[in-house]
Amino acid sequence: MGPFIKSENNTTKIMQHLLIALTPIILFAFIKNGIIPYSKGYTNIIGLFYPLIFILISTTSTFIFETIYTYFFHKKRNLKEYIKHSYSIFPGLFLGLILPLNTPIILLILASLVSSIIAKMLFGGFGNNIFNPALVGRLFIISTYAIVIGKNGGYLNSYELDTIAKSTPLTNASTLTGLGTYETLVKPYGSLMNFFIGTIPGAVGETS
């Protein structure tokens, strides 16, 4: 006897749920990298909204790149129907959350191109890609332009640049021999409460 309980979930609903699940992370990225530096006087009004602008640029870029690729190479003329089921914003959305805030915009757009075209579309598009498109885009940018991003401020927002001026906790932990201590692992970034809340250096969407 086959299963008789069926879920009404479909791919569209799953992706909608994914977007809802990412919303708190996006909002926290705005608070940590925008509101906190702005409230402490370390950035201006553009810097306040820059985390959201950063994520919006990568999300829009993957959408545009995939739409153009589909129109010219797949010869799909009913783009409205294709866009509805391509979920082309998600590689860019994830990419904007896992890259350092100080990634130059031109590199962010380049990473979006790699994510949407090379890592996704060349493998057949949604559901066929064998690698995570956003991670491929990040790997390309970090491995190729790490020095450029580092000189630009790396993972630290404007407030962290002045108050911490160190590597991220994960990078710091990887350079230590043995288990490390509270003074070497935690104290440079505040307290355990900072780790619990997520107000520590990291990628745009990196949090607790």
Side-chain angles (χ1 to χ4, degrees), residues 1-202:
M1 183 177 179
F4 54 87
I5 298 178
K6 295 183 178 180
S7 172
E8 294 184 357
N9 247 351
N10 54 40
T11 303
T12 299
K13 286 184 179 179
I14 291 172
M15 301 310 281
Q16 288 173 350
H17 295 162
L18 174 59
L19 186 60
I20 293 171
L22 289 175
T23 300
I25 298 176
I26 296 171
L27 291 176
F28 184 81
F30 175 45
I31 294 170
K32 174 181 175 287
N33 298 300
I35 292 178
I36 291 178
Y38 181 78
S39 66
K40 294 181 180 295
Y42 284 91
T43 189
N44 54 24
I45 193 69
I46 296 176
L48 169 63
F49 292 102
Y50 187 74
L52 297 180
I53 296 171
F54 188 87
I55 296 169
L56 181 62
I57 289 174
S58 61
T59 303
T60 305
S61 296
T62 55
F63 171 78
I64 292 174
F65 287 137
E66 184 171 328
T67 302
I68 292 174
Y69 182 91
T70 301
Y71 184 83
F72 287 102
F73 291 95
H74 288 184
K75 308 297 182 182
K76 291 185 183 292
R77 295 299 180 255
N78 187 4
L79 287 177
K80 184 177 180 180
E81 186 62 28
Y82 171 80
I83 290 170
K84 191 185 300 184
H85 301 290
S86 68
Y87 313 107
S88 55
I89 66 169
F90 284 95
L93 181 56
F94 280 113
L95 187 64
L97 290 170
I98 63 177
L99 279 174
L101 182 67
N102 295 300
T103 302
I105 295 301
I106 188 65
L107 295 184
L108 177 63
I109 295 173
L110 178 59
S112 301
L113 176 65
V114 172
S115 296
S116 58
I117 304 301
I118 297 177
K120 182 180 179 182
M121 298 308 295
L122 291 183
F123 285 96
F126 181 77
N128 297 305
N129 42 281
I130 61 175
F131 303 108
N132 183 301
L135 289 180
V136 172
R138 182 188 186 279
L139 178 63
F140 173 77
I141 290 300
I142 295 298
S143 61
T144 310
Y145 299 101
I147 295 177
V148 175
I149 297 173
K151 288 182 178 179
N152 210 39
Y155 289 91
L156 306 178
N157 62 42
S158 54
Y159 172 63
E160 293 166 343
L161 277 170
D162 188 60
T163 57
I164 296 177
K166 289 181 179 288
S167 59
T168 67
L170 287 177
T171 304
N172 180 39
S174 68
T175 60
L176 297 175
T177 54
L179 296 176
T181 64
Y182 182 90
E183 284 69 26
T184 57
L185 290 173
V186 178
K187 200 170 182 180
Y189 309 98
S191 66
L192 286 175
M193 183 59 68
N194 293 101
F195 280 79
F196 178 74
I197 297 173
T199 52
I200 54 176

